[in-house]
Amino acid sequence: MEQQKKDRRNSLLIGLIAIVEVVVIVAIVGVFVYRPEPEIIAGEAEASEYRVSGKVPGRIEEFYFEEGDMVRKGDTLVSIYSPEVQAKMDQAQAARAAAEAIHQKALNGARKEQIEGAYELYQKAKTGREIYEKSFERVQRLYEKGVITLQKRDETEAQYKAALATEKAALSQYNMAKKGAQEEDKEAAKAMVERVNGIIEEVKIAQGEKYLVSPIDGMVSGIFPKRGELVGQGSPVMSILDINDIWFVFSIREDLLEGYGIGSEWYVQVPALGKRTYKVRITHIKAMASYATWRATKSNDRYDTRTFEVKARPLEPIDGLHPGMTAVITERPTEYDHYNNSRSYKK
């Protein structure tokens, strides 16, 4: 009987120990299974992008590079055919020829034949005036003697005055022909030539815009129109990425933003480049648009969280890094990091 009781107690003890072991195992598994995973902050690499566009409308004539090609600053990327520019040049050159002819005429004055013709008219008018002058003198003497009437005397005087006016007008035309154009006319003709020359220079500049060149050393990341398509003034034709000016962009909720101040340094890993980590420094923090980043916290909290755009630049060039590659923040540098001697602390 005692042995049975002893066996029963041992069985209960073993069962209790087994239950305790199960509880402990379940608790340990629960800790590992239900504990919150660390937040992974990932972003991507971005680079400065330059849009190449033309000042004149036209059709794409030729592309000299394709997407993915590396280009140097000043390389010709594309040529544009613009018949409108050539038509404006033809018009401007015709206008310059006319303006130069007017200017030259103003400088040269009247031709020799015109001067001689004006002189002959003056001599004719002078002779006519002398004849009418003598006739008037004779008629005046006869009138004083009472031989002719007053009407006849007045008619002769009127003819003499008309001849005198004709002579003065002919002399004025002759003097003008000898002197040439007025200074005001010469200056006006000269200004007309200069204006047309300015138009031609403007058209030449537009002709130079037929060829679009790269503003930087970089990589062709996009070509928008196709060969033969019409592009308007200012329409983008190509985009060039400055792969020497690359940074990382992360979207971080404000409840995780502690430690990410401007100037702080972190390590990031780029999965496309392996497991190596790279040191970066935060250079920019800006709140993103609330409609896209607003997030409610727990129901018993009294505030909402927003998301911030955080930019970080690598402290050293990263070989093989291209825009669009994913980057993950791993850790913060420990103090007295070997890259620099500034004090920073691991989070």
Side-chain angles (χ1 to χ4, degrees):
M1 179 63 80
E2 288 293 331
Q3 185 64 34
Q4 291 179 351
K5 291 181 179 181
K6 186 177 180 181
D7 292 340
R8 189 180 298 114
R9 285 196 301 270
N10 290 338
S11 298
L12 290 174
L13 181 59
I14 293 173
L16 181 61
I17 292 173
I19 292 173
V20 171
E21 289 179 349
V22 171
V23 171
V24 171
I25 292 173
V26 170
I28 293 174
V29 172
V31 168
F32 284 98
V33 172
Y34 293 104
R35 71 174 180 178
E37 296 182 356
E39 294 282 351
I40 297 177
I41 299 177
E44 66 177 21
E46 293 187 1
S48 296
E49 184 180 26
Y50 294 81
R51 296 291 182 95
V52 179
S53 58
K55 293 182 180 179
V56 296
R59 293 189 181 277
I60 299 298
E61 189 174 45
E62 188 69 39
F63 287 111
Y64 300 103
F65 292 92
E66 298 179 355
E67 291 186 3
D69 289 345
M70 302 300 297
V71 297
R72 305 286 295 178
K73 182 178 180 180
D75 285 348
T76 301
L77 303 176
V78 60
S79 62
I80 299 177
Y81 173 66
S82 181
E84 293 83 1
V85 174
Q86 184 58 45
K88 288 182 179 179
M89 175 60 77
D90 295 339
Q91 295 173 3
Q93 289 177 342
R96 180 170 65 179
E100 288 178 345
I102 295 174
H103 183 222
Q104 191 63 39
K105 181 179 179 180
L107 292 177
N108 294 337
R111 292 183 298 180
K112 180 180 179 181
E113 294 81 358
Q114 292 176 320
I115 296 175
E116 291 178 352
Y119 177 74
E120 294 297 332
L121 290 175
Y122 166 62
Q123 293 299 320
K124 178 180 178 181
K126 181 180 179 182
T127 302
R129 187 267 306 166
E130 292 175 350
I131 292 174
Y132 280 109
E133 183 179 9
K134 292 177 180 179
S135 297
F136 175 68
E137 290 175 352
R138 287 194 298 267
V139 170
Q140 179 67 24
R141 288 194 296 267
L142 292 173
Y143 170 73
E144 291 174 353
K145 293 179 181 181
V147 177
I148 60 176
T149 62
L150 177 61
Q151 181 179 356
K152 183 64 176 179
R153 182 258 180 199
D154 290 342
E155 290 176 355
T156 305
E157 183 182 15
Q159 292 174 347
Y160 165 64
K161 290 181 178 179
L164 183 62
T166 301
E167 181 190 16
K168 290 182 178 179
L171 179 60
S172 177
Q173 292 294 326
Y174 172 59
N175 291 333
M176 185 181 298
K178 288 195 302 180
K179 186 177 180 180
Q182 296 182 359
E183 292 300 324
E184 294 82 356
D185 295 334
K186 295 179 181 179
E187 291 297 327
K190 180 181 178 181
M192 184 181 298
V193 174
E194 292 176 351
R195 177 176 178 273
V196 176
N197 287 335
I199 295 175
I200 291 178
E201 289 300 321
E202 183 178 354
V203 178
K204 286 182 178 179
I205 294 174
Q207 285 181 328
E209 292 296 325
K210 171 183 178 180
Y211 298 98
L212 306 184
V213 299
S214 175
I216 59 167
D217 296 343
M219 180 181 68
V220 178
S221 60
I223 299 177
F224 306 111
K226 293 181 175 59
R227 182 177 178 181
E229 286 187 348
L230 182 66
V231 292
Q233 183 178 10
S235 299
V237 178
M238 275 189 180
S239 61
I240 309 296
L241 281 178
D242 186 358
I243 59 175
N244 294 319
D245 184 24
I246 299 183
W247 62 88
F248 298 103
V249 177
F250 303 93
S251 299
I252 304 178
R253 292 201 319 266
E254 61 178 311
D255 56 335
L256 302 175
L257 200 59
E258 182 182 0
Y260 293 93
I262 292 179
S264 62
E265 297 176 357
W266 294 81
Y267 282 113
V268 301
Q269 183 180 0
V270 182
L273 303 180
K275 296 183 179 180
R276 181 183 173 185
T277 58
Y278 306 92
K279 195 174 184 182
V280 298
R281 178 181 292 122
I282 294 176
T283 59
H284 175 79
I285 299 176
K286 182 183 71 173
M288 300 176 68
S290 59
Y291 68 85
T293 63
W294 175 87
R295 174 181 179 274
T297 57
K298 296 179 180 179
S299 59
N300 59 350
D301 287 335
R302 296 184 179 179
Y303 67 94
D304 302 316
T305 60
R306 296 185 65 181
T307 301
F308 285 75
E309 179 185 77
V310 178
K311 293 183 179 180
R313 289 185 176 273
L315 299 185
E316 295 180 351
I318 301 177
D319 293 335
L321 180 63
H322 290 278
M325 288 185 175
T326 301
V328 180
I329 296 179
T330 57
E331 60 178 349
R332 197 170 185 183
T334 55
E335 67 175 344
Y336 299 116
D337 187 86
H338 67 278
Y339 283 103
N340 57 43
N341 294 326
S342 60
R343 294 174 64 90
S344 57
Y345 299 90
K346 184 176 180 181
K347 186 176 177 182

